[in-house]
Amino acid sequence: MWRNFELEKSYDVVIIGAGVHGLATAYYLAANHGISKVAVVDKGYVGGGGSGRNTAILRSNYLTPEGVRFYDRSVQLYRTLAADLNFNVMFAPRGHLTLAHNDSSLRTMRWRAEVNKLQGVDSEVITPEEIKRLVPFMDVSDDTRYPIIGALYHPPGGIIRHDAVNWGYARAGDRLGVQIHQNTEVTGIRTEKGRVSGVSTNRGEIGAPIVLNCTAGWASLVSAMAGVKLPIITHPLQAAVTEPVKMFLDAVVVSGSLHVYVSQTDRGELVFGASTDPYASYSMRGSLEFTEELASHVLELMPSIAKMRVLRQWAGLCDITPDFSPIMGITEVEGFLVDVGWGTYGFKAGPAAAEAMAELVATGRTPQLIAAFDLARFAEGRLASERGAAAVGH
Ligand code: PYC
């Protein structure tokens, strides 16, 4: 799939993090801009962090026009990714439902639907009867703890095989000359007179005029190595998967009030996730309390699946910013760029973020698509609040 290399003394670009953001940025640098003297370094293995721990949901039904435009570009890139990378990434646009259990959520769904439509993105508010037609197993009756009063329906949303996306970008980048260095931990970032000059790793020193932080979970610690402070707090997020059964759930279903989202993979497993754990931590262990609570919430939506068995659970790390939007672009250290702060929405954004970051590296200009997500916004007070649309309740 991709080769192993000795570390070279210098590269044109060093990317920290071999998840979807890092690998895809390396691929677009080579494919779109002819820059292939690129090293992607990771302290673990390809797709071993957030890119392999997420619940693989794709959607662009955000709340701000900037967010909708940005995530829609990613959905577009995902749509043709299998052909572009010549790798089966199992993209399945099944439709995405965000349930409303009270009037204020329904108001937010209407708001999102209107913003989406104005940006040319297909979203509409639908009734419990229409939800029942899309998800026959859903309990839409009035005698539940939190009756469902409507949903934001987003037909282009869906799921994909996350590992395949990571492997596809890694293989395609390798074919174009990018070097992927697994088990290569960055221990320091070197700067001289306000500009980056390279990184120190557990395998030796690397010189580079451009270093990109594409990490999740450790984004603030890695940036601190370059002297750049990020407004990020890291929380774990837990998820679980059941045994596989025959297909019965086509759409992706999200309930902010019940803090849960669920989809069925093409293998037949149900994948569930929760909102982030309520404390800051770098722990990636699951807990029994979590699984019990998550399962009870899924059963409130679909009581008839009570006998399905949970196979395993895991956790990933989410770097949360104050406005629930990411941070992409330049920093005060020349040549040190960031593509971080991806909270619970990073996987779906990988292709669009990478395409834009590659353009920024190649041209020195920030693409309009990501201009609203710069680091300076926190100091200048122009936040891009996605609180009402960033996965489930935070
Ligand atoms: O943003 O769609 C989302 C999401 C799903 C699970 C976590 N975040």
Side-chain angles (χ1 to χ4, degrees):
M1 292 287 286
W2 53 88
R3 294 161 291 170
N4 290 321
F5 296 91
E6 292 302 318
L7 269 190
E8 294 182 19
K9 283 201 167 42
S10 67
Y11 294 87
D12 292 340
V13 183
V14 168
I15 297 175
I16 310 172
V20 61
H21 286 252
L23 295 165
T25 303
Y27 167 75
Y28 290 120
L29 274 171
N32 294 356
H33 305 283
I35 300 174
S36 58
K37 198 163 168 43
V38 176
V40 183
V41 298
D42 196 294
K43 71 174 180 173
Y45 58 93
V46 163
S51 296
R53 291 166 181 274
N54 63 87
T55 47
I57 294 173
L58 307 181
R59 64 183 175 96
S60 57
N61 57 356
Y62 279 76
L63 184 62
T64 65
E66 298 85 350
V68 177
R69 279 196 293 272
F70 171 75
Y71 290 99
D72 186 48
R73 176 66 189 150
S74 230
V75 172
Q76 284 172 28
L77 288 166
Y78 269 126
R79 207 173 276 145
T80 60
L81 198 63
D84 295 343
L85 301 181
N86 187 25
F87 198 83
N88 185 3
V89 290
M90 298 169 74
F91 173 58
R94 311 262 202 86
H96 182 285
L97 286 168
T98 314
L99 305 176
H101 301 266
N102 53 51
D103 290 342
S104 64
S105 339
L106 198 58
R107 176 181 168 275
T108 307
M109 302 310 159
R110 291 207 176 98
W111 178 1
R112 283 169 65 181
E114 294 311 313
V115 174
N116 286 194
K117 281 183 223 162
L118 281 171
Q119 298 303 322
V121 166
D122 189 4
S123 290
E124 61 173 326
V125 172
I126 62 172
T127 63
E129 294 69 37
E130 291 169 299
I131 298 171
K132 186 80 179 167
R133 269 199 293 281
L134 290 166
V135 188
F137 282 79
M138 184 97 76
D139 185 356
V140 297
S141 61
D142 286 339
D143 57 359
T144 57
R145 191 158 65 110
Y146 293 115
I148 296 166
I149 61 172
L152 179 67
Y153 178 44
H154 175 51
I159 52 172
I160 200 162
R161 174 88 201 278
H162 54 8
D163 294 324
V165 171
N166 296 319
W167 300 334
Y169 273 123
R171 187 179 76 153
D174 174 274
R175 298 291 183 273
L176 295 172
V178 165
Q179 293 188 5
I180 299 167
H181 295 281
Q182 303 180 95
N183 300 314
T184 305
E185 180 169 1
V186 170
T187 53
I189 296 177
R190 296 197 309 273
T191 59
E192 283 161 31
K193 297 192 182 125
R195 71 157 300 137
V196 82
S197 58
V199 300
S200 309
T201 78
N202 60 343
R203 292 176 56 210
E205 300 292 317
I206 317 176
I210 301 200
V211 174
L212 217 76
N213 179 1
C214 287
T215 60
W218 292 271
S220 47
L221 302 181
V222 169
S223 284
M225 292 179 190
V228 173
K229 200 167 170 212
L230 298 179
I232 281 178
I233 299 181
T234 302
H235 290 251
L237 184 152
Q238 302 189 44
V241 66
T242 66
E243 61 185 333
V245 295
K246 207 165 134 186
M247 282 304 286
F248 70 93
L249 177 62
D250 195 38
V252 179
V253 177
V254 181
S255 166
S257 304
L258 293 173
H259 294 255
V260 73
Y261 35 90
V262 53
S263 67
Q264 188 170 20
T265 69
D266 287 320
R267 276 196 301 230
E269 305 138 330
L270 287 190
V271 178
F272 317 129
S275 51
T276 52
D277 285 346
Y279 46 82
S281 166
Y282 291 104
S283 162
M284 285 195 277
R285 293 182 62 124
S287 63
L288 181 60
E289 291 82 353
F290 154 80
T291 312
E292 283 180 340
E293 207 169 298
L294 185 59
S296 70
H297 288 322
V298 175
L299 291 181
E300 288 190 59
L301 296 176
M302 288 183 278
S304 53
I305 64 168
K307 291 212 164 66
M308 284 182 76
R309 283 173 295 192
V310 171
L311 283 192
R312 61 195 159 81
Q313 62 182 113
W314 67 93
L317 296 180
C318 302
D319 291 333
I320 311 274
T321 64
D323 60 2
F324 297 86
S325 282
I327 310 173
M328 287 177 273
I330 57 170
T331 66
E332 66 264 31
V333 175
E334 211 182 321
F336 179 66
L337 309 179
V338 291
D339 171 9
V340 296
W342 284 107
T344 63
Y345 17 92
F347 178 76
K348 69 172 67 60
E355 184 189 49
M357 290 303 292
E359 185 181 332
L360 169 58
V361 170
T363 64
R365 288 187 299 277
T366 301
Q368 196 50 39
L369 193 67
I370 61 168
F373 306 115
D374 61 339
L375 177 58
R377 75 181 186 273
F378 298 103
E380 293 168 10
R382 21 173 198 92
L383 301 190
S385 180
E386 281 293 357
R387 201 182 188 88
V392 300
H394 289 294

